[in-house]
Amino acid sequence: MSGGAVAPTGRPPVLFPLFAGLETLPGVGEKSARAFAQLGAERPRDLLFLLPHSVIDRQPVASIREALPGAVVTVAVTVGPHLPARRKGGPTRVMVRDATSDFQLVFFHARGEALQKQLPTGEQRIVSGKLEIFDGLAQIVHPDHILRPEEAASLPRFEPVYPLSAGLTQRVVAKAVAGALTRLPDLPEWIDPSLKAREGWPDWDAAVRAVHAPEGPADLAPTAPARARLAYDELFAHQLTLALARQTLRRGKGRSSKATGTLSGKVLQSLPYEPTGAQRRASAEIAADMATDRRMNRLLQGDVGAGKTLVAFLALLVAVEAGGQGVMMAPTEILARQHLDSLAPLAAAAGVRLALLTGRDKGAERAAKLADLAAGRIQVLVGTHAVFQKDVQFHDLRLAVVDEQHRFGVAQRMELGAKGQAADVLVMTATPIPRSLSLAQYGDMDVSLLDEKPPGRKPVRTALVSDTRLEEVVDHLRRAVAEGRQAYWVCPLVEESELVDLISAEDRFRSLRAALGEGVVGLVHGQMPPADKDAAMADFVAGRTRVLVATTVIEVGVNVPNASIMVIERAETFGLAQLHQLRGRVGRGAAESTCLLMYKPPLSDTGERRLQILRDTEDGFRIAEEDLAMRGAGDLIGTAQSGLPRFRIADLERQAGLMAVAQSDARALLAVDPGLQGPRGAAVRCLLWLMEQDRAIRLISVG
């Protein structure tokens, strides 16, 4: 095997041919290179991973009688007379005969001599193309292939069909891919030999050749050995990057924060209920992590209402018990104030000083808080990203808890850790994510799962209601408001769009205000200035408004125990996970709560199935798995802002199992060879360069 050790500084020369310009390939000019770029293919390497999505069966038949109209047929024919076009640009017809039938080949804008040369009358040719019936006559319009009998062997039995963009034909793509395949280097094997043998995977170069030469539809399945191997390469490179980030974070000297149990004991005694087994388990995992001298980088994943706040506060108390401080960060001021309200009674029970810091703190008040923080008099700080500002100095920050709605990426997590001298990091997420996706998004972290509901959370009654019954729903609201209850009304879009007849939040706000009275209804949507949004939320939280009309800005974390009704308009346009999050906003107080999913009939089969799943279960993890199966990874978290990597080959829905294998393989490799210096390490560096995981390579070089 060639391609030995790789200097961490630059791409290994063995890969250079794959990273040249596309124009260096046969048949690719400037114009087609631009068309390829539309497909995300800008270098020969990208073409290797541009996989065919289907195949055409070119199996020869004796006669067109063996084929159905609309099918592709490959048949040997004797060429008959040419019938030239009657008018300019009209069809030229060439009569042909196979073993038993006569039919015609049709060409538009044909040049007579060229056609005669290609199909000389009286000679034998192999033609392959789509069989059609026109005016009762069998014909093939512009055959895909016309070959001499001696060239027949060059036609593959199954011809791959590639994705195209404007300006590309199958022939151009196939030729460019064939050119890229001639540049396949001989690379050392980076997959663990026992895994490769167990799965029956081919070598890398054999796998690349095989995916471009499928021998039937089965070879296109994600489970086909060549495809599975290439998908694994991609997932493994991704997980290695995350594992290297995790290793870098952990290598940063941590501080050991040992729990004494004195403060947490007081909090647990003050609770009117027993913590769930899941809460106890997660707290123990976090405390064990904090006690080591490595930096903690843990994800606390829990469904709506699973009691993450208590677990996070017990973690903050570990930092305080060890003589340090903790900070809890929320993405918005509303959520920061809410965290403060829910932590205040716990802090009082523990006798710990808690404070809030947001962008609103100014002047003397802010200066006093900063002084108390720097002196260590404030033990737990709750805040927005204002806590990142230069003048915010902690006396001894040991734990940072981050609310995931920040969409914190790996880079920001590393930055946050730098604020405290090696502070531990705990990220909380309320989005139940299927395991394969949580590994793709948070693979650099260790995960604690809260998969039980605390006692006392009442189930939310969920009903499907057609939007033809709007008046009844408004009447129901009128009665509820009269009884002193509060409700959310979620609308799909903010502005009227001609394309989508979704009623805008503004219109719904006006119609509900007319029905229920001035001052009863508030409005929040994404286009509002933040201060107006905060004011509208504050009115609702304080009970000054009874009904809050909103776009999905309320799905995150808002806690109004008195709100017991959730109306979601055009529910069929939302993702399951989103609907589940929205429903989680009610059912937090003493009252029976309902969630009305209003839909516009008729519902599609999948639309109906999605709403039924939601009606039948409140288990966020089951809902997320269903959502993934029905919608796919990109839609599930909205790929644009999800922080989810885009994979070319790997299919997260169908190859979820490979992601977990890739994670444990990556971690195991780094445990024995943290600098990727050994023989397999060198091969893996080659993979990282091939997969353009430059960040991973930088992390090794820093190491």
Side-chain angles (χ1 to χ4, degrees):
M1 281 278 184
S2 65
V6 176
T9 45
R11 182 181 293 138
V14 67
L15 295 178
F16 288 176
L18 294 182
F19 284 85
L22 270 194
E23 286 98 326
T24 58
L25 292 173
V28 181
E30 199 180 318
K31 207 164 138 202
S32 44
R34 281 201 300 275
F36 272 116
Q38 298 294 307
L39 292 174
E42 297 182 6
R43 286 151 316 200
R45 162 215 178 263
D46 304 331
L47 288 178
L48 299 180
F49 302 136
L50 180 69
L51 302 195
H53 54 74
S54 53
V55 291
I56 296 172
D57 188 343
R58 301 268 183 206
Q59 167 78 10
V61 293
S63 168
I64 58 166
R65 290 201 173 165
E66 295 175 32
L68 294 169
V72 168
V73 51
T74 304
V75 64
V77 298
T78 304
V79 183
H82 287 229
L83 311 175
R86 297 209 186 96
R87 57 188 166 74
K88 191 173 183 334
T92 298
R93 300 172 193 279
V94 180
M95 306 310 291
V96 294
R97 179 171 178 78
D98 64 25
T100 61
S101 311
D102 293 299
F103 62 101
Q104 50 188 12
L105 308 179
V106 180
F107 300 87
F108 291 89
H109 305 285
R111 296 210 306 283
E113 304 129 56
L115 203 53
Q116 187 65 53
K117 209 177 208 166
Q118 210 182 2
L119 290 159
T121 304
E123 291 200 18
Q124 291 264 305
R125 289 290 182 268
I126 312 282
V127 292
S128 185
K130 190 170 167 190
L131 180 67
E132 294 169 352
I133 304 292
F134 182 71
D135 276 350
L137 295 172
Q139 62 177 35
I140 296 177
V141 180
H142 289 279
D144 305 326
H145 299 276
I146 300 173
L147 304 169
R148 293 193 175 88
E150 62 271 22
E151 297 168 330
S154 70
L155 191 65
R157 157 82 203 259
F158 290 101
E159 187 175 28
V161 181
Y162 290 97
L164 297 179
S165 67
L168 289 179
T169 62
Q170 287 297 338
R171 200 161 288 180
V172 171
V173 178
K175 189 170 179 184
V177 168
L181 288 171
T182 62
R183 300 188 178 186
L184 281 188
D186 182 13
L187 299 178
E189 181 57 76
W190 46 76
I191 293 184
D192 174 49
S194 59
L195 170 67
K196 189 176 161 212
R198 186 185 83 207
E199 296 291 340
W201 287 337
D203 288 346
W204 180 75
D205 52 347
V208 175
R209 287 196 178 89
V211 292
H212 291 287
E215 293 184 354
D219 285 353
L220 302 171
T223 47
R227 287 211 175 204
R229 189 233 143 102
L230 295 180
Y232 185 75
D233 290 341
E234 197 170 27
L235 298 175
F236 182 51
H238 168 68
Q239 285 297 327
L240 264 164
T241 307
L242 291 176
L244 282 160
R246 172 175 181 259
Q247 177 177 281
T248 309
L249 270 168
R250 298 187 122 195
R251 213 172 27 224
K253 293 183 304 301
R255 315 257 307 283
S256 164
S257 300
K258 289 200 166 66
T260 60
T262 45
L263 301 178
S264 55
K266 290 180 186 172
V267 169
L268 292 172
Q269 270 173 336
S270 76
L271 294 176
Y273 57 86
E274 277 295 301
T276 63
Q279 284 175 310
R280 289 186 186 278
R281 188 179 64 233
S283 293
E285 288 168 348
I286 293 165
D289 264 6
M290 291 177 71
T292 69
D293 55 6
R294 286 198 312 270
R295 282 170 67 178
M296 174 171 79
N297 188 27
R298 187 168 276 280
L299 176 72
L300 178 62
Q301 192 184 13
D303 202 350
V304 181
K308 290 182 293 295
T309 311
L310 175 65
V311 175
F313 191 66
L314 294 174
L316 290 163
L317 289 182
V318 172
V320 177
E321 287 173 353
Q325 294 163 294
V327 62
M328 184 185 240
M329 282 180 57
T332 63
E333 193 161 321
I334 293 175
L335 285 174
R337 288 186 186 283
Q338 219 167 270
H339 280 318
L340 185 78
D341 295 343
S342 50
L343 296 181
L346 303 176
V352 164
R353 184 164 165 210
L354 182 69
L356 176 73
L357 183 70
T358 71
R360 280 200 194 170
D361 291 300
K362 299 279 186 283
E365 194 188 342
R366 178 178 163 94
K369 275 187 193 174
L370 294 184
D372 283 351
L373 197 62
R377 290 188 289 272
I378 292 176
Q379 292 153 298
V380 176
L381 181 69
V382 174
T384 55
H385 41 240
V387 305
F388 266 143
Q389 286 159 349
K390 285 278 186 290
D391 59 347
V392 180
Q393 297 294 327
F394 290 84
H395 175 63
D396 177 14
L397 176 62
R398 285 168 177 253
L399 173 67
V401 178
V402 181
D403 205 320
E404 156 271 357
Q405 292 316 133
H406 274 299
R407 296 284 176 201
F408 250 54
V410 179
Q412 289 98 321
R413 297 203 278 269
M414 293 173 106
E415 212 171 280
L416 176 69
K419 185 85 186 171
Q421 296 54 45
D424 287 324
V425 177
L426 180 68
V427 176
M428 298 197 295
T429 170
T431 318
I433 308 175
R435 179 138 190 262
S436 57
L437 294 192
S438 75
L439 287 179
Q441 211 169 358
Y442 301 109
D444 59 317
M445 307 183 85
D446 300 298
V447 180
S448 290
L449 206 57
L450 294 181
D451 46 11
E452 300 171 50
K453 281 260 167 68
R457 279 286 301 216
K458 291 209 173 78
V460 177
R461 208 171 63 80
T462 304
L464 309 187
V465 186
S466 155
D467 64 8
T468 52
R469 294 169 55 194
L470 181 72
E471 291 307 315
E472 288 174 53
V473 174
V474 175
D475 284 343
H476 176 67
L477 270 192
R478 195 178 283 117
R479 288 195 297 277
V481 166
E483 290 163 14
R485 292 163 63 186
Q486 284 178 277
Y488 295 101
W489 187 297
V490 178
C491 300
L493 282 186
V494 181
E495 269 138 7
E496 273 298 275
S497 125
E498 288 105 32
L499 300 173
V500 199
D501 58 346
L502 302 176
I503 296 172
S504 74
E506 312 234 325
D507 284 358
R508 180 56 68 218
F509 167 66
R510 285 191 287 271
S511 70
L512 287 175
R513 194 175 54 186
L516 304 173
E518 282 293 325
V520 175
V521 187
L523 171 69
V524 190
H525 60 68
Q527 316 291 306
M528 289 164 89
D532 296 2
K533 217 185 287 185
D534 283 2
M537 286 302 309
D539 283 344
F540 186 64
V541 171
R544 291 187 287 274
T545 52
R546 290 307 198 172
V547 177
L548 184 65
V549 174
T551 52
T552 51
V553 286
I554 60 154
E555 72 186 270
V556 290
V558 188
N559 191 12
V560 183
N562 191 41
S564 58
I565 299 172
M566 167 66 71
V567 179
I568 303 173
E569 206 168 337
R570 295 302 304 270
E572 76 278 12
T573 63
F574 291 94
L576 272 174
Q578 228 181 354
L579 290 169
H580 177 65
Q581 288 289 319
L582 287 167
R583 174 171 63 184
R585 299 298 115 225
V586 295
R588 293 167 169 248
E592 269 299 310
S593 293
T594 28
C595 174
L596 299 178
L597 303 174
M598 285 177 67
Y599 62 88
K600 182 175 185 166
L603 271 180
S604 68
D605 289 351
T606 49
E608 191 168 350
R609 188 175 138 209
R610 287 206 338 240
L611 297 183
Q612 280 170 352
I613 289 164
L614 206 77
R615 187 183 59 197
D616 299 343
T617 179
E618 283 198 70
D619 175 349
F621 286 94
R622 204 194 122 203
I623 287 170
E625 292 287 357
E626 286 280 353
D627 208 6
L628 176 62
M630 292 175 78
R631 290 204 304 159
D635 289 347
L636 187 55
I637 9 195
T639 308
Q641 84 291 357
S642 67
L644 249 199
R646 285 178 171 283
F647 296 115
R648 276 174 185 263
I649 295 175
D651 173 336
L652 284 181
E653 293 92 87
R654 295 181 188 78
Q655 297 173 315
L658 288 181
M659 182 66 98
V661 178
Q663 187 196 46
S664 52
D665 192 8
R667 289 185 175 188
L669 171 64
L670 290 180
V672 297
D673 184 5
L676 298 180
Q677 299 300 336
R680 186 176 173 209
V684 161
R685 283 173 184 243
C686 210
L687 168 70
L688 292 173
W689 280 112
L690 177 68
M691 292 303 186
E692 301 190 287
Q693 293 286 353
D694 307 57
R695 195 173 90 237
I697 292 151
R698 281 204 303 281
L699 288 169
I700 308 172
S701 357
V702 210

